[in-house]
Amino acid sequence: MSHVSPGTSLRGTILVVDDEEVMRDVLETLLTADGYEVHLAATADEGLERLRSTGVDAVVLDVMMPGMDGMTALDEIHRLDEQLP
């Protein structure tokens, strides 16, 4: 099942969740240059909220973050969409 919304990038949409701003910026630059639409979140909670409001094709998720860690966030992501890479 495709998660691409009408009007999004042909390559797909990726949600990057990382508490380090420099990592978000680097991944956004690289993925955008490769043709992806990129959404950013600084916390797992913010990422889950973005995921609920915006369809994405994949999530790049930091494992070690303050608050909710990446593994807990991954469980929540798969509750929303078990097929989401």
Side-chain angles (χ1 to χ4, degrees):
M1 158 162 97
S2 175
H3 300 277
V4 177
S5 304
T8 59
S9 167
L10 292 178
R11 299 226 32 171
T13 303
I14 297 176
L15 172 61
V16 174
V17 184
D18 198 309
D19 61 314
E20 295 182 40
E21 184 177 5
V22 69
M23 288 303 299
R24 290 191 311 270
D25 291 346
V26 166
L27 288 168
E28 179 181 32
T29 298
L30 292 171
L31 292 167
T32 301
D34 206 26
Y36 293 96
E37 180 178 342
V38 179
H39 297 274
L40 303 174
T43 68
D45 288 323
E46 182 184 342
L48 289 167
E49 194 57 42
R50 278 193 154 278
L51 185 58
R52 289 182 187 102
S53 64
T54 307
V56 300
D57 298 297
V59 177
V60 176
L61 180 63
D62 186 8
V63 175
M64 294 177 24
M65 295 184 286
M68 183 188 307
D69 67 31
M71 296 309 292
T72 303
L74 184 60
D75 288 340
E76 291 295 319
I77 289 167
H78 284 154
R79 280 191 191 96
L80 295 171
D81 183 345
E82 64 186 32
Q83 301 298 315
L84 191 62

